[in-house]
Amino acid sequence: MFPKRVGLTLVALLLASACAPSGTPAGASPTAAGEKPQSGGELLYIVTAEPPTFDAHQSTTFATLQPISPHYSLLYKLDPADNVSKIIPDVADGMPTVSTDKLTWTIKLRQDVTFQDGQQMTAEDVVATYNKIINPPQGVTSPRKGVYAPVASVEATDKFTVTFKLKYATGSFLASLASPWNYIYSAAKLKQDPKWYEKNVDGTGPFTFVEYQKGSYWAGKKNPSYFGKDKNGTKLPYLDSYKAFFITDPNRQTAAIQSKQAMIEFRGFTPQQRDQLQRALGNDLAVQESPWVCVNYITFNTKKKPFDDARVRRALTLAIDRWSGGDALSKQTIVKDVGGLMRPKGPFAMSDADLQKIPGFYKDNAKAVDEAKKLLADAGVSNLTFNFLNRNVTTPYEPVAVFAINEWKKIGVTATHQVKETAAYLADLRAGNYDVGLDFNCDYFDEPDLQLAKFYSASGLGKGLNLAGYDDPKLDQMIDAQSRETDPAKRKQLVWDIERYAMGEQAYQVPVLWWYRIIPYLKIVRGYVIGSNHYTTMDMANIWLAKQ
Amino acid sequence: MTAAEDPARLRYLEETRLRRARSAVLDFIRRRPLGVAGAVVIVVMVFAAVFADVVAPYGPQEGTFSGLPEPPSLQHLLGTDAFGRDVFSRLLYGSRTALLVGFSSSLVGSTLGLILGVVGSYFGGKTDEIIERFMDVLISFPLVVIAIAVIAALGPGTTNVIAAITLPVIPRVARVVRSSGLAVVRMPYIEAARSVGVRAPRIMFRHMVPNVFAPYLIMLTAFLGQAVLLEATLSYLGLGVVEPEPAWGNMLRGQGMQFLDQAPWLAIAPGVAISLAVFGFNLFGDSLRDALDPRLRAA
Amino acid sequence: MQRYVAGRLLLMIPTLLGVAILTFLIMRVVPGDVVALRYSQAGAVSQDVIDRERRLLGLDKPIQDQFFDWMGQVVRLDFGQSLWTDRPVTEEIAARFGITLELAILAAIIASAIAIPLGVLAAVRQDSWVDYVIRVVSIGGLALPSFWLGILMILGLVVFFRWAPPLIFVPIWKDPVENLGQLIWPALSVGYRYSAVATRMTRSSVLEVLREDYVRTARAKGLRELWVVVRHALRNSLLPVTTVISLEFAFLFGGLVVTEQVFNVNGLGKLLVDAVAHRDYPLIQALVLIFSFVFVVVNFVVDLLYGVLDPRIRYA
């Protein structure tokens, strides 16, 4: 029954499929209410890059978290049923007790947690873990060390109690304790060799390590001594085992799901990949979509003329009609929502009405274009030309850049797209060897401390992060102030002031469009909630497979 | 009176030469239909490139930004891409990029190869040895490393893509030219020219180059097609000509690959253009080789 | 002969040394830094962290010190640690070597299986429509960008058979079906591509031989055409064809970059692309050296074979 003339038929099919109506995204229905999870089965998923190291403390890539998190637990974690902001205990026994001055955090630990080598987890292990992150020993790096700057000390006050002492109160500390990067490691192993976890696995998570075939796959199987239970008292995890396949080519990724070699990919697919899978798999496919804590910034080299002039920067952000751009680009790549420095629709997002008052976010683009032209004329650079530095990654950098270049034409500005390989692109951005660049930022949590970190002065806390190169003590103070504000409502106001100042008035680094995450997957996969990012809830403890 | 001094005979020889040239062309057309087909493709491509401004209904970067590609229609013969740009127009302008990349890299690469090959075979000894070793190094280098090195060091852009494609051509042509050159160098007239004190550059240019010109030409046409293909391959690795500049490579690997399912015309149009171009250059080059290499003429 | 072999072997040294120096220099000139890349995914990594890590990896040393350190190691066959994964480079390469080797061999077999019969047929029927069709078909392999051909193959398999090549590599001695199920497709796409040159070579060398006196004699003796072709023409034209295919094998070894990427085959080409993208110097240097080594050795063997198979060639 196979077609005889495969070649010709393939072309015919390609042509025919073009004329078919494109699929519409299905509503998100991760787990129908009241459905009872079933145990057993092997989860097969795609990871789109390979882990450079097994040690998540030292990693900044999802490629470490997605295949390796199933082996580990955290102190606190995001509730897998929400995966946005609700924090629940993992190896902690309940939420922390915080002193009235908010400087002492006491955390009780579960007593039924064991490492996969059989040894019991105690407060010593948590202390060793956090000490490694906060004060990394010789030969070990800790990229997120700065996040723990408020911590004065971590101590084991008894066998199952850990106490964090802070130098000053901060609104983001609980989120820092739920960081998906902070795998709990064994104190004994770390003492033996602080680099042991770079190449070995021993955690307290729901799965034990089976095999890693370089460049091909990572495999794990159920940890029978895992402490977790679901709300019905059933032991977790539900799955017997899992395999994570490393696939880099996007067309090959789609083919893997379409042929059911893999069930899900957790980072995010393009709308085209979604539509293709939907048309091919129909009812076998489910789709979840959500705004993502990832954004593209246009970064101006403020050390270079004329970008040292706020008027020029403001003109360039004014020209970009984000609202109509979001509509159009969301059909071809992974960006969609318009937002400021905090994720749109997230807990810190400014209302659209307020946002539309900020230059670059006006609904009336004609007015914005006039204003922009006037600003350029005032600055004496009406026919501005510059190089627009970008990296050679198609999704979403290429369409976003082509869009921006197109928008700049409207105000008489000519930008030359300068696409460099990621390594060279980063080198140029970091060295300030560019005019205007397309930068990006991704985080695991809606948290101003994380999202605003790259707005600190370039020669201060923002060293290596703030690629625009400016120094602005006023902005530094504003960011510090919101960080130390523990009243959530007041903190939001402070954050919004920062947005108005940093991206409106000064326009140092301006968001283009926020990313939009699309997860098309085989419907048999249950228990995964898309949330806001591709880093958290990757321990797979609550994921199960429906029997067909 | 020898035959050579007879004016009638000289005129006769002259006429025969002309007639021979004319008949060689006619012979090529008659005997090598594939070569002619290749030539036709090349002519069409050159025409498209030269007259892109006139023929193309739209500018290469002109479009109403709608967000979804449109299928082929009367307004847009080959449809539009996701930026609302006319695919047919981009294809025409893309032939400029293709020809520019193809001609400049194979011409520069082959010519440098020719020079190195001739110099090496003429002087022999140490000079030859050094050139040979250097060519060995270059030829055994993986293309990606060269390409990434050139493009990362010099920055992106059509010129640097050309440079990246030129480098691998040099040693391949140099080797072939050198082996032909070695045969020529032993010819008595070269020996004679040397002994009467004709200077080396003159001997090389007047006597050696014409004699190794056939392999040079064959390699040149072969690499023309390969260069077009290489540009597309570099695009797949994210190292080709960059958007929004129109090039077949970035059309195919960018929107073409992303919309393979929904809008296959975005891939089919540049894919066919690349294949046709490579076909054309190869068919022409092959037939040229057959025509120039007397050993392969049918008995 | 022995002197020739020794001489050729000695000549490999400057070539490989040249490759080593050039790779080293090129990669240091090219901008980009493994440490910055390693921490490029998430925002919050400060310059201090990066500087510290660079010091740990010895990337802050003067370039000549780095070079001599590295050469010193290589002479002892120690290629160092990957800067990206911090594992021994030899381990990284060993995991992929077999896959690329098998793929290159399969592709070479497929290329010969296509090229020899088609080339002979084209020569025997020179300038007929058979010849034209064969030439068009074989040039077709050259004319398709390899990633495009690969993606179409996978899409075709998925659409028509709801099946895609296995994602996991299994050694051929463990499960030949699974192994070939994965590797045959990339091998076909590459083999077809590389058959183009070999077909042309077969065709022209058979043409040449067919015109030799002894073939005419054989024909004149009234031997059957097929016998003439197989006995004389094919046998005598095998030499140049073998040459082309072995040389292509050498190229293939370093040239599977795109194909491995498209088919998600975990080979050396994919490793090289990643290594270059990561600026993983020790790994790049070792890989380029291996590719050059294979290339040089294959070339050498081909030259020797020439001497053995073709008595007309004498080594001076």
Side-chain angles (χ1 to χ4, degrees):
Chain A
M1 272 168 298
F2 297 134
K4 289 190 189 80
R5 293 152 74 195
V6 174
L8 273 182
T9 326
L10 182 61
V11 173
L13 183 114
L14 282 169
L15 289 169
S17 69
C19 308
S22 72
T24 44
S29 61
T31 309
E35 214 180 2
K36 193 179 173 305
Q38 297 158 359
S39 291
E42 177 170 56
L43 178 72
L44 305 171
Y45 60 99
I46 298 169
V47 178
T48 56
E50 278 215 75
T53 169
F54 300 176
D55 182 0
H57 298 177
Q58 299 196 54
S59 176
T60 62
T61 168
F62 69 94
T64 298
L65 293 185
Q66 292 189 346
I68 303 178
S69 291
H71 305 307
Y72 291 97
S73 312
L74 309 166
L75 203 43
Y76 290 92
K77 65 178 182 183
L78 280 189
D79 182 353
D82 157 75
N83 201 7
V84 176
S85 56
K86 192 180 168 208
I87 291 171
I88 59 168
D90 199 354
V91 299
D93 195 8
M95 299 308 283
T97 319
V98 185
S99 64
T100 42
D101 61 1
K102 298 201 167 100
L103 293 180
T104 308
W105 291 53
T106 311
I107 297 162
K108 288 258 173 241
L109 301 177
R110 299 178 69 112
Q111 308 195 2
D112 56 352
V113 183
T114 51
F115 283 95
Q116 282 147 17
D117 67 359
Q119 154 218 358
Q120 189 183 28
M121 186 206 75
T122 67
E124 288 305 326
D125 298 309
V126 176
V127 170
T129 297
Y130 272 86
N131 273 330
K132 171 170 179 280
I133 295 164
I134 299 169
N135 301 305
Q138 186 62 40
V140 174
T141 14
S142 176
R144 281 164 300 272
K145 187 181 160 179
V147 174
Y148 300 90
V151 178
S153 71
V154 195
E155 273 160 33
T157 29
D158 67 46
K159 198 177 175 196
F160 294 103
T161 309
V162 178
T163 306
F164 287 83
K165 291 238 167 64
L166 304 189
K167 295 174 205 151
Y168 49 85
T170 159
S172 60
F173 195 59
L174 185 58
S176 303
L177 295 179
S179 166
W181 307 100
N182 297 357
Y183 293 167
I184 303 297
Y185 290 159
S186 144
K189 291 265 162 39
L190 288 178
K191 199 175 165 194
Q192 203 181 79
D193 176 11
K195 293 166 80 76
W196 190 82
Y197 278 97
E198 288 172 15
K199 290 168 198 168
N200 300 282
V201 176
D202 181 26
T204 58
F207 293 87
T208 54
F209 174 73
V210 173
E211 194 186 359
Y212 170 38
Q213 201 183 87
K214 280 171 174 304
S216 188
Y217 70 97
W218 184 289
K221 68 169 197 293
K222 181 186 250 171
N223 174 8
S225 58
Y226 181 58
F227 59 88
K229 290 194 175 65
D230 70 4
K231 57 182 187 297
N232 302 322
T234 312
K235 264 183 78 84
L236 294 174
Y238 300 118
L239 297 166
D240 286 339
S241 58
Y242 76 90
K243 264 198 191 84
F245 299 108
F246 302 109
I247 307 179
T248 44
D249 184 90
N251 292 88
R252 187 69 187 85
Q253 292 160 10
T254 325
I257 300 226
Q258 194 169 335
S259 63
K260 304 193 177 174
Q261 284 180 314
M263 302 162 180
I264 187 168
E265 187 278 317
F266 291 104
R267 185 160 181 270
F269 272 2
T270 62
Q272 297 93 304
Q273 288 176 296
R274 172 197 64 203
D275 292 352
Q276 179 181 343
L277 288 173
Q278 215 146 33
R279 195 158 38 223
L281 295 173
N283 265 339
D284 290 349
L285 195 82
V287 181
Q288 293 187 51
E289 304 187 359
S290 166
W292 200 343
V293 201
C294 286
V295 63
N296 279 117
Y297 286 111
I298 289 174
T299 300
F300 299 104
N301 187 349
T302 57
K303 289 186 169 160
K304 219 169 181 178
K305 276 193 184 317
F307 307 105
D308 56 341
D309 186 339
R311 288 173 300 183
V312 176
R313 302 195 297 260
R314 223 179 309 143
L316 291 175
T317 174
L318 270 165
I320 298 172
D321 182 359
R322 293 166 170 85
W323 302 96
S324 66
D327 283 345
L329 284 173
S330 68
K331 291 174 193 152
Q332 58 161 306
T333 191
I334 56 170
V335 298
K336 185 173 187 182
D337 293 297
V338 181
L341 305 182
M342 302 302 297
R343 181 175 67 105
K345 303 186 174 80
F348 290 91
M350 206 183 248
S351 72
D352 277 2
D354 283 341
L355 190 61
Q356 283 164 16
K357 291 178 196 139
I358 298 177
F361 297 86
Y362 303 163
K363 266 288 190 183
D364 182 356
N365 188 241
K367 181 186 139 200
V369 167
D370 288 344
E371 208 177 308
K373 282 183 176 161
K374 215 175 140 285
L375 281 168
L376 285 181
D378 288 351
V381 283
S382 279
N383 295 311
L384 183 62
T385 56
F386 60 83
N387 284 330
F388 187 35
L389 179 66
N390 198 0
R391 64 197 300 200
N392 67 348
V393 176
T394 317
T395 307
Y397 302 89
E398 187 179 277
V400 168
V402 173
F403 163 68
I405 291 169
N406 222 28
E407 295 292 282
W408 285 328
K409 273 190 201 150
K410 292 188 306 200
I411 56 166
V413 167
T414 313
T416 307
H417 197 197
Q418 195 179 33
V419 183
K420 296 197 173 179
E421 220 211 323
T422 301
Y425 152 92
L426 280 174
D428 277 357
L429 269 185
R430 287 184 163 271
N433 183 20
Y434 71 101
D435 297 337
V436 178
L438 190 64
D439 188 15
F440 76 109
N441 189 58
C442 266
D443 286 309
Y444 69 88
F445 202 70
D446 292 297
E447 168 50 56
D449 282 4
L450 298 174
Q451 276 101 75
L452 297 177
K454 65 192 292 134
F455 285 82
Y456 275 118
S457 288
S459 57
L461 281 171
K463 194 176 172 200
L465 300 174
N466 169 354
L467 304 174
Y470 59 84
D471 282 325
D472 186 336
K474 181 183 165 194
L475 187 53
D476 290 348
Q477 275 170 16
M478 291 170 89
I479 300 174
D480 280 343
Q482 68 73 28
S483 177
R484 290 167 193 223
E485 179 55 65
T486 46
D487 175 354
K490 281 189 198 151
R491 191 168 179 216
K492 274 189 207 176
Q493 293 294 341
L494 293 177
V495 170
W496 296 340
D497 286 342
I498 293 172
E499 294 186 282
R500 288 186 196 100
Y501 177 74
M503 69 177 191
E505 199 175 312
Q506 293 294 341
Y508 292 127
Q509 316 179 67
V510 293
V512 192
L513 287 164
W514 282 76
W515 292 14
Y516 189 72
R517 197 158 156 250
I518 301 170
I519 308 286
Y521 59 101
L522 298 187
K523 218 178 218 160
I524 52 165
V525 178
R526 304 293 166 88
Y528 180 69
V529 177
I530 185 166
S532 62
N533 72 91
H534 55 300
Y535 302 113
T536 52
T537 71
M538 284 289 108
D539 67 11
M540 313 288 166
N542 296 73
I543 291 184
W544 56 280
L545 297 177
K547 305 225 164 51
Q548 280 153 312
Chain B
M1 200 159 75
T2 59
E5 286 156 358
D6 178 356
R9 174 142 177 93
L10 275 178
R11 197 163 53 239
Y12 169 77
L13 280 176
E14 189 63 24
E15 274 171 13
T16 351
R17 198 173 297 156
L18 270 175
R19 206 175 311 131
R20 284 234 300 270
R22 202 179 313 133
S23 78
V25 172
L26 287 176
D27 193 52
F28 185 84
I29 293 175
R30 191 169 51 81
R31 303 260 309 267
R32 313 203 179 275
L34 290 183
V36 175
V40 169
V41 172
I42 297 171
V43 169
V44 169
M45 214 174 131
V46 171
F47 180 83
V50 173
F51 296 104
D53 295 313
V54 189
V55 183
Y58 304 89
Q61 296 179 27
E62 170 190 335
T64 45
F65 186 47
S66 63
L68 273 182
E70 278 172 36
S73 64
L74 281 176
Q75 285 84 31
H76 301 284
L77 289 176
L78 296 174
T80 66
D81 65 13
F83 289 103
R85 300 175 301 196
D86 184 53
V87 173
F88 179 61
S89 304
R90 283 181 73 74
L91 209 60
L92 290 176
Y93 282 97
S95 66
R96 268 187 194 178
T97 317
L99 281 181
L100 183 69
V101 171
F103 270 107
S104 25
S105 59
S106 55
L107 200 66
V108 173
S110 303
T111 308
L112 287 176
L114 174 76
I115 295 170
L116 289 172
V118 168
V119 168
S121 57
Y122 178 80
F123 288 108
K126 275 261 156 21
T127 321
D128 188 32
E129 197 59 39
I130 290 169
I131 294 178
E132 269 289 276
R133 288 290 78 73
F134 199 71
M135 293 297 109
D136 275 353
V137 169
L138 211 53
I139 209 170
S140 62
F141 232 76
L143 182 71
V144 220
V145 178
I146 298 188
I148 292 183
V150 169
I151 286 157
L154 303 179
T158 316
T159 337
N160 299 333
V161 170
I162 291 172
I165 297 176
T166 304
L167 276 176
V169 175
I170 301 172
R172 287 163 177 84
V173 176
R175 280 198 161 175
V176 173
V177 168
R178 176 179 172 271
S179 60
S180 310
L182 283 180
V184 178
V185 142
R186 295 202 193 89
M187 293 289 176
Y189 59 88
I190 303 267
E191 207 50 52
R194 266 185 184 163
S195 61
V196 296
V198 182
R199 292 183 37 210
R202 196 180 153 82
I203 299 180
M204 283 191 277
F205 189 72
R206 290 295 294 269
H207 299 292
M208 301 227 0
V209 170
N211 279 301
V212 295
F213 212 67
Y216 164 76
L217 215 58
I218 290 164
M219 296 293 277
L220 181 82
T221 39
F223 280 117
L224 266 170
Q226 288 307 299
V228 175
L229 209 59
L230 270 179
E231 195 275 320
T233 304
L234 288 181
S235 281
Y236 176 79
L237 295 171
L239 302 168
V241 175
V242 301
E243 281 274 0
E245 224 171 292
W248 296 344
N250 70 29
M251 290 171 76
L252 181 58
R253 90 88 211 202
Q255 300 211 345
M257 289 298 115
Q258 288 171 47
F259 282 97
L260 200 53
D261 189 54
Q262 291 90 334
W265 59 89
L266 292 180
I268 290 173
V272 168
I274 293 172
S275 299
L276 265 182
V278 180
F279 242 108
F281 285 123
N282 271 300
L283 285 179
F284 182 72
D286 259 15
S287 305
L288 191 68
R289 169 217 291 272
D290 286 1
L292 290 178
D293 192 339
R295 287 174 307 161
L296 302 183
R297 285 216 183 114
Chain C
M1 181 73 187
Q2 272 163 356
R3 274 194 59 188
Y4 173 81
V5 172
R8 280 293 305 259
L9 280 172
L10 276 179
L11 277 183
M12 285 183 193
I13 295 170
T15 306
L16 291 176
L17 192 67
V19 168
I21 295 174
L22 202 63
T23 322
F24 191 92
L25 284 179
I26 283 179
M27 288 325 293
R28 309 289 151 143
V29 170
V30 167
D33 170 36
V34 64
V35 181
L37 269 167
R38 216 191 237 193
Y39 300 123
S40 68
Q41 293 269 344
V45 184
S46 70
Q47 192 62 44
D48 299 341
V49 171
I50 288 181
D51 292 344
R52 187 185 151 135
E53 179 93 6
R54 282 181 61 83
R55 262 197 310 281
L56 285 176
L57 294 174
L59 290 172
D60 56 338
K61 285 192 198 164
I63 185 164
Q64 64 273 20
D65 292 7
Q66 290 186 43
F67 182 74
F68 289 116
D69 287 354
W70 179 66
M71 281 311 284
Q73 287 176 332
V74 169
V75 173
R76 281 175 274 130
L77 286 179
D78 169 11
F79 289 94
Q81 308 278 115
S82 155
L83 298 181
W84 185 252
T85 64
D86 202 30
R87 286 167 182 273
V89 163
T90 39
E91 192 185 312
E92 294 286 345
I93 291 175
R96 278 105 170 163
F97 191 86
I99 303 179
T100 294
L101 184 67
E102 187 190 336
L103 189 50
I105 291 174
L106 273 180
I109 292 174
I110 289 170
S112 340
I114 297 175
I116 294 174
L118 287 189
V120 171
L121 198 60
V124 173
R125 299 261 177 275
Q126 191 195 8
D127 288 335
S128 74
W129 64 269
V130 177
D131 182 21
Y132 295 155
V133 168
I134 289 174
R135 282 164 69 189
V136 167
V137 168
S138 81
I139 291 178
L142 277 182
L144 287 166
S146 46
F147 68 94
W148 172 226
L149 180 63
I151 286 168
L152 283 185
M153 277 173 86
I154 293 176
L155 194 68
L157 289 171
V158 171
V159 168
F160 291 110
F161 306 110
R162 297 206 145 236
W163 179 87
L167 288 167
I168 297 178
F169 175 77
V170 184
I172 194 158
W173 56 89
K174 277 195 185 146
D175 185 349
V177 176
E178 185 85 354
N179 173 282
L180 289 177
Q182 185 187 26
L183 292 185
I184 199 74
W185 312 100
L188 272 173
S189 92
V190 178
Y192 175 38
R193 184 180 166 68
Y194 279 89
S195 71
V197 182
T199 307
R200 192 161 60 188
M201 195 67 188
T202 314
R203 177 178 175 271
S204 49
S205 51
V206 171
L207 275 182
E208 210 173 315
V209 173
L210 279 179
R211 249 168 265 128
E212 298 275 347
D213 289 342
Y214 62 92
V215 174
R216 290 183 188 193
T217 318
R219 271 182 179 156
K221 278 197 301 195
L223 289 178
R224 281 179 50 211
E225 184 70 17
L226 183 71
W227 179 249
V228 174
V229 169
V230 172
R231 179 65 216 270
H232 295 288
L234 183 58
R235 227 187 74 187
N236 284 293
S237 55
L238 266 182
L239 183 62
V241 176
T242 320
T243 313
V244 169
I245 288 177
S246 348
L247 290 181
E248 269 168 15
F249 175 82
F251 274 117
L252 262 184
F253 214 74
L256 288 169
V257 166
V258 169
T259 309
E260 288 183 351
Q261 198 95 346
V262 170
F263 286 93
N264 210 57
V265 172
N266 181 28
L268 294 178
K270 198 160 163 252
L271 186 65
L272 177 67
V273 174
D274 289 345
V276 173
H278 295 149
R279 302 290 188 268
D280 190 346
Y281 302 141
L283 189 52
I284 301 169
Q285 284 152 200
L287 278 171
V288 173
L289 214 51
I290 285 180
F291 290 141
S292 308
F293 183 73
V294 170
F295 187 85
V296 173
V297 168
V298 171
N299 266 284
F300 171 63
V301 172
V302 166
D303 281 1
L304 282 189
L305 269 182
Y306 249 91
V308 176
L309 294 179
D310 188 344
R312 283 174 301 181
I313 295 175
R314 300 265 299 282
Y315 296 105

